Amino acid sequence: MTRPTSTAEREPAAPVPTGAAVVTGIGVAAPNGFGRETWWAATLRGSNGIARLTRFDPSRYPVQLAGEVPEFEAGEHIPSRLLPQTDHMTRLALAAAAEAADESGLDPGTLPEYAVGVVTAASAGGFEFGQRELQALWSKGGAHVSAYQSFAWFYAVNTGQISIRHGLRGPSGVVVTDQAGGLDAVAQARRHLRKGVQAVVTGGVDGSLCPWGWAAHLAGGRMSPVADPERAYRPFHPDASGEIVGEGGAILVLEDEASARARGARVYGEVAGCAATFDPDAGGPGLFRAARTALRQAGLEPSDVDVVFADAAGVPDADRAETEAIIELFGPRGVAVTAPKTMTGRLQAGGAALDLAAALMSLRHSVVPPTVHVGAGSHDPRLDLVCDTPRPGRIRAALVLARGHGGFNAATVVRARH
């Protein structure tokens, strides 16, 4: 995707929207691989991206594991002028957005001025940037605080920086629903397409792996204290002890199908159904209702779904509630279930977006990626959990589930589009 040079060069008309929202580009920054193809190959291998923190010294903290994006040098992926004004998570988002845009081949310079928007999800904003500027304030005084702090900390900063870099002036925004945010952002992007926008850059990339952010994660009370990276985050396992957090996520180019087909774009699949609910109490029926509603919106029966990408909280009560919701909808062992986030940790607003990317890659490559560190036979036998190795087979449709702290539930259905 290239930045337009002038509005006069843009064509005045666009294909008539079909109503189908399709994904034409995917960009990934994940703890088990930077870049879409590197991450996907690592996911199919079951490569673990969870390890001891290196971004700061975690020795004073009761939790010392995290999922960090490897081999990322910001200066190799974004202009040097952006480095002083961006948090680490925004740099990851810009790199992922560039990868998604390049793959899609979408050129805003050939489109009407407001034809392409940006909707991302965030849960913390630029925490690491904010910590650095607060330290400068406390130790040196206000004159040493960067003016960029005024927006680098903000929840909407990824949306803003992506839109500025690529010259995208269409409807834009940010969604803040914690771990459910990646799906909720895509749902909002899909609404924009239905109103006539031709494409939206969407998804979520998040992260707050700094002492200030770590204090917030610990205060949530959901983190696993286990020191072994292969035993710390084990959703659906009898020894589940909590979550491991990470950084990263995925950015997608969501496009009206008529526009995509008209320019010969390659399509990963259709975002066919989206739903969100809210449970004031954790473990309520909201996740089931969201999943059922997303399927109905897509016009599908449970039997049409080939795989569920689980939220996989790693907290026993939450895992049991999700298991019951899946069984209520599909029946015992009625659908393959997977949680590839066991290789990355939970990525806040980026986690569900990465699961959505994995679901789309599953459609393209006809394979279900594995869940690691749980082990076949150690979980509820009513759950057909794909453990340790990929499961090949035709994938017609996938359901992605996500829950955010405080009661947010989201479900998204993607299906093959030929």
Side-chain angles (χ1 to χ4, degrees):
M1 189 183 293
T2 57
R3 183 171 181 171
T5 55
S6 72
T7 58
E9 299 174 359
R10 305 182 186 191
E11 297 181 2
V16 177
T18 64
V22 297
V23 175
T24 58
I26 297 175
V28 169
N32 63 338
F34 176 70
R36 179 185 58 257
E37 297 303 326
T38 300
W39 154 76
W40 183 241
T43 298
L44 294 182
R45 290 195 307 269
S47 298
N48 187 18
I50 296 172
R52 192 176 190 271
L53 268 164
T54 64
R55 298 274 300 285
F56 64 93
D57 181 4
S59 59
R60 296 177 297 164
Y61 299 90
V63 178
Q64 301 180 9
L65 300 178
E68 297 175 297
V69 175
E71 300 177 357
F72 175 71
E73 294 294 336
E76 298 177 1
H77 300 279
I78 64 175
S80 59
R81 64 179 175 81
L82 292 179
L83 295 179
Q85 59 181 276
T86 50
D87 183 82
H88 179 71
M89 66 96 182
T90 298
R91 296 169 184 174
L92 292 173
L94 284 167
E99 181 181 33
D102 289 345
E103 187 193 23
S104 76
L106 185 67
D107 182 2
T110 65
L111 301 175
E113 186 172 4
Y114 301 102
V116 185
V118 185
V119 179
T120 67
S123 63
F127 247 52
E128 187 174 10
F129 194 105
Q131 174 179 311
R132 185 170 62 247
E133 298 311 312
L134 285 173
Q135 287 174 325
L137 173 65
W138 295 332
S139 62
K140 300 178 182 179
H144 296 271
V145 175
S146 169
Y148 296 129
Q149 168 67 2
S150 61
F151 59 80
W153 71 272
F154 190 42
Y155 298 100
V157 65
N158 290 354
T159 289
Q161 291 285 14
I162 291 168
S163 65
I164 291 168
R165 186 178 184 191
H166 297 282
L168 309 179
R169 301 185 66 187
S172 299
V174 62
V175 177
V176 185
T177 53
D178 194 54
Q179 309 265 0
L183 299 188
D184 289 337
V186 171
Q188 178 68 0
R190 183 167 171 259
R191 295 184 193 103
H192 286 316
L193 295 187
R194 290 184 167 185
K195 295 176 181 177
V197 176
Q198 286 181 243
V200 182
V201 177
T202 188
V205 173
D206 214 340
S208 51
L209 302 186
C210 61
W212 189 23
W214 211 239
H217 290 307
L218 290 169
R222 301 184 302 275
M223 296 180 73
S224 171
V226 176
D228 182 349
E230 296 189 357
R231 301 179 65 84
Y233 176 42
R234 309 177 82 185
F236 306 112
H237 192 279
D239 295 334
S241 57
E243 67 180 20
I244 294 296
V245 301
E247 64 183 7
I251 299 293
L252 316 175
V253 175
L254 193 66
E255 192 170 353
D256 176 74
E257 186 176 33
S259 297
R261 300 296 187 190
R263 64 183 185 82
R266 188 168 66 163
V267 170
Y268 278 95
E270 178 192 1
V271 177
C274 302
T277 61
F278 183 78
D279 277 324
D281 299 313
L287 187 64
F288 168 79
R289 290 189 288 108
R292 183 182 59 187
T293 303
L295 284 175
R296 288 177 176 175
Q297 191 182 98
L300 299 179
E301 297 295 328
S303 59
D304 297 319
V305 174
D306 296 297
V307 59
V308 172
F309 285 75
D311 174 66
V315 177
D317 288 347
D319 288 344
R320 281 192 290 270
E322 184 172 23
T323 296
E324 294 302 330
I326 293 171
I327 292 169
E328 184 176 359
L329 188 59
F330 295 97
R333 302 190 66 82
V335 66
V337 178
T338 189
K341 60 169 61 75
T342 50
M343 303 172 224
T344 65
R346 293 176 65 80
L347 310 183
Q348 300 168 267
L354 189 64
D355 276 348
L356 193 59
L360 291 160
M361 295 293 279
S362 293
L363 293 178
R364 171 169 289 185
H365 296 287
S366 299
V367 61
V368 176
T371 305
V372 300
H373 308 149
V374 176
S378 63
H379 53 82
D380 189 321
R382 299 175 299 166
L383 202 65
D384 183 14
L385 195 63
V386 179
C387 293
D388 300 325
T389 58
R391 182 182 295 181
R394 182 187 176 199
I395 311 295
R396 302 162 299 169
L399 172 66
V400 182
L401 302 177
R403 292 172 293 185
H405 183 60
F408 300 104
N409 305 290
T412 297
V413 175
V414 292
R415 65 183 171 196
R417 195 80 176 178
H418 300 295

